[in-house]
Amino acid sequence: MKNLVLGSILLLLLGSCSFTVFNGYWHNGQHSGEKPVSWFRHDTGVVVFNTTIDMMKRHFSGLMLIKPLPDDAYRVVFITEVGLKIFDMEFTRSEVIIHYFMEAMNKRALVNTLTRDIGLVLMREHTQAPEALYEKSSHAPVIKYRENGRRNYYSLNEQGETNKIVQAGFLLNKVKADFYSAGNNRVDSISIVHYHMNLFINLSRISNTAGNAEE
Amino acid sequence: MKRITELFCIIVLLPALNLMSQVPVRPMKDVAGFKTRLNSMSATISTIESDFVQEKNLSVLANKIISRGHFCFKKENNIRWEYMQPYKYLIIINKDKIFIKEESNQKQYDIQSNRMFQEMNKFISGCIQGDILKNDKEYNVGYFEDDKYFFVKLVPVSEKIRQMLNEVQIWFDRNDLTVSRIQMIESGGDYTRIDFTGKKLNTDIPVEKFSFR
């Protein structure tokens, strides 16, 4: 009886998780050499997104500015609509430099999570060798990288653009980022969802043309 | 009541803005007279309506982030900030409640329940009504003038606040003492500048403008 209860609990827990052991990807044999390319490499100026961050019971909204820099680096600034700066970070190939983080939000766990999420969607180049996979359901090509104990799966569309990234830990999927584009090599919106944490980030592109918000 | 009325005076008549590129550095001769005039002006005003242009200058960007919208104030303590370009965003402060509406999201908060909103409300209404000038415990206030403007500079006393907001500057038109510009300078030199234009005083603004639906 005891084993039955424990087994039921275990099944319930397992059923509520997003597993990576059977993650829906198959190996593709030889790698084609294709690599995911950051959506922001096509932009020459600053890309501005209307952004909401919902975390636990807290809600933040504002503008996220992403500026590509030389050497595969990016500057990312988040300000509220009324102009208050929340954070200012620089993502280089090897590190994240925090130029400013608002005191009220400057908690280590939060900073780490946000830098990891933003770093994921910036898609800086990986130094490790990629593995070629494909999705069982759609047969879409998937590129897999290992990074700091996590695995990143980049799903590519027919144009070779990344439309989804799933980041997984040892057993469980951690984060999913979906990219939506209406074409022209530009991303129009991004949705970031955590599988096991109440954290949602949504970015909707406003503009990167002069006159509104841009460089 | 009197304080609230001052608020109105501050934002009301918005003058030619292109003359404000330089910060007045001449110390104000008659600070007491300025405060008295501000009090009496604010007493005559019940509503203020104005367009605004907000300019965010970040050192990381070569150009500024510019947003535009419409501002309304109605006694007592009803404020409506409506951003229209390049995004839609609405903030309504209705006494002790604050409402925020984005394109796909709307929320209501009790100002008292959130320290950040308390400070935000105090700051916004303080700038509009001029109460902020009386807050010499939290700000060191400097008074200056030139031929066109009275200029007030507020430096937060608290080191903690200064890490976020280094200085607040308010330009008052010399003729009518209405606020022409508010500029908030952050510790790193980035700043937010709000210019008020096309203002209307004492118009009939419906109460519904300050309710959230």
Side-chain angles (χ1 to χ4, degrees):
Chain A
M1 184 61 184
K2 193 177 176 183
N3 286 341
L4 182 64
V5 173
L6 286 172
S8 301
I9 293 171
L10 189 60
L11 278 175
L12 191 67
L13 289 172
L14 295 179
S16 64
C17 294
S18 172
F19 265 93
T20 65
V21 177
F22 308 107
N23 53 22
Y25 302 127
W26 278 358
H27 273 276
N28 193 21
Q30 289 187 329
H31 187 256
S32 62
E34 200 168 22
K35 286 184 177 179
V37 177
S38 171
W39 282 100
F40 305 103
R41 276 295 127 195
H42 300 296
D43 288 289
T44 52
V46 175
V47 188
V48 183
F49 291 96
N50 214 334
T51 302
T52 59
I53 300 176
D54 287 286
M55 179 184 49
M56 311 300 178
K57 291 182 177 177
R58 306 188 73 177
H59 174 80
F60 300 93
S61 70
L63 304 178
M64 182 131 12
L65 298 95
I66 299 176
K67 180 183 182 183
L69 301 172
D71 297 326
D72 197 32
Y74 297 90
R75 190 77 174 254
V76 180
V77 183
F78 183 44
I79 58 173
T80 65
E81 287 86 349
V82 295
L84 197 63
K85 190 159 61 183
I86 305 287
F87 60 71
D88 178 359
M89 301 189 283
E90 186 173 342
F91 292 76
T92 70
R93 271 190 184 156
S94 56
E95 63 176 338
V96 179
I97 302 165
I98 310 283
H99 292 286
Y100 175 83
F101 219 105
M102 182 189 270
E103 172 100 13
M105 285 182 71
N106 197 358
K107 313 293 178 205
R108 189 173 174 179
L110 175 61
V111 174
N112 287 345
T113 303
L114 285 176
T115 52
R116 197 181 293 126
D117 288 357
I118 294 168
L120 188 69
V121 299
L122 291 175
M123 297 168 55
R124 288 166 294 165
E125 282 186 25
H126 291 270
T127 51
Q128 302 88 341
E131 289 179 46
L133 309 172
Y134 64 90
E135 284 186 9
K136 289 176 191 171
S137 55
S138 64
H139 293 270
V142 175
I143 310 294
K144 174 184 166 186
Y145 284 97
R146 290 179 187 274
E147 183 184 42
N148 299 328
R150 296 191 173 198
R151 288 163 287 159
N152 294 347
Y153 298 91
Y154 297 83
S155 297
L156 309 181
N157 62 18
E158 290 174 352
Q159 289 75 44
E161 298 164 332
T162 303
N163 55 18
K164 183 174 72 178
I165 306 174
V166 174
Q167 186 174 71
F170 174 63
L171 275 179
L172 305 176
N173 287 333
K174 301 274 189 188
V175 188
K176 181 170 73 118
D178 286 299
F179 298 81
Y180 304 95
S181 168
N184 298 323
N185 283 333
R186 55 174 256 173
V187 64
D188 294 300
S189 66
I190 303 169
S191 161
I192 302 171
V193 178
H194 280 250
Y195 287 96
H196 308 292
M197 190 193 300
N198 195 2
L199 174 57
F200 304 91
I201 303 175
N202 281 293
L203 301 97
S204 300
R205 189 182 187 119
I206 295 176
S207 168
N208 65 339
T209 56
N212 285 331
E214 52 323 283
E215 182 179 47
Chain B
M1 178 72 175
K2 202 172 182 181
R3 288 181 180 177
I4 292 170
T5 320
E6 288 172 24
L7 216 178
F8 312 150
C9 297
I10 297 180
I11 282 198
V12 180
L13 301 174
L14 306 171
L17 299 169
N18 56 351
L19 300 172
M20 294 191 294
S21 54
Q22 292 187 338
V23 172
V25 291
R26 195 171 73 216
M28 198 183 290
K29 280 183 185 170
D30 184 9
V31 174
F34 164 71
K35 289 180 175 177
T36 305
R37 278 185 63 198
L38 193 61
N39 284 341
S40 50
M41 270 294 292
S42 62
T44 65
I45 295 166
S46 60
T47 67
I48 303 169
E49 216 173 335
S50 162
D51 292 326
F52 68 86
V53 177
Q54 180 179 295
E55 197 176 288
K56 178 73 183 177
N57 192 308
L58 292 162
S59 57
V60 67
L61 303 182
N63 290 347
K64 295 158 182 138
I65 302 166
I66 296 172
S67 44
R68 294 179 170 80
H70 193 68
F71 168 84
C72 296
F73 174 82
K74 186 183 179 84
K75 279 183 179 174
E76 304 282 338
N77 201 22
N78 294 303
I79 297 170
R80 179 186 171 101
W81 285 94
E82 186 170 13
Y83 289 80
M84 294 166 168
Q85 289 180 333
Y87 47 83
K88 295 201 182 294
Y89 186 75
L90 174 64
I91 302 174
I92 294 174
I93 297 172
N94 186 332
K95 297 181 176 64
D96 58 347
K97 301 282 184 198
I98 185 164
F99 306 96
I100 295 177
K101 185 178 183 182
E102 301 149 32
E103 286 193 21
S104 59
N105 201 345
Q106 58 184 51
K107 299 216 171 181
Q108 175 181 329
Y109 302 91
D110 184 344
I111 287 177
Q112 298 307 322
S113 70
N114 187 312
R115 175 91 194 273
M116 187 174 159
F117 287 134
Q118 282 178 41
E119 292 300 320
M120 186 174 145
N121 181 46
K122 199 166 84 174
F123 181 75
I124 292 175
S125 60
C127 284
I128 297 169
Q129 296 178 94
D131 287 355
I132 203 167
L133 303 186
K134 297 171 184 169
N135 194 346
D136 52 7
K137 286 183 182 168
E138 291 183 31
Y139 297 97
N140 290 319
V141 186
Y143 296 87
F144 305 88
E145 63 183 330
D146 63 14
D147 293 342
K148 295 198 172 293
Y149 299 101
F150 291 118
F151 174 73
V152 177
K153 188 163 70 173
L154 301 109
V155 177
V157 171
S158 160
E159 178 71 30
K160 202 171 178 180
I161 294 177
R162 273 210 307 276
Q163 287 175 3
M164 192 168 69
L165 190 63
N166 213 31
E167 190 173 304
V168 180
Q169 302 173 342
I170 307 175
W171 276 256
F172 297 85
D173 182 84
R174 274 193 91 93
N175 297 321
D176 51 34
L177 293 188
T178 57
V179 170
S180 302
R181 169 181 287 175
I182 298 173
Q183 184 159 288
M184 292 159 282
I185 303 170
E186 296 165 25
S187 53
D190 294 343
Y191 65 82
T192 304
R193 176 185 294 169
I194 304 173
D195 288 324
F196 298 95
T197 59
K199 69 288 166 192
K200 295 173 191 165
L201 291 183
N202 294 331
T203 56
D204 184 20
I205 304 176
V207 175
E208 290 73 33
K209 280 267 186 188
F210 306 97
S211 64
F212 201 67
R213 287 168 301 184

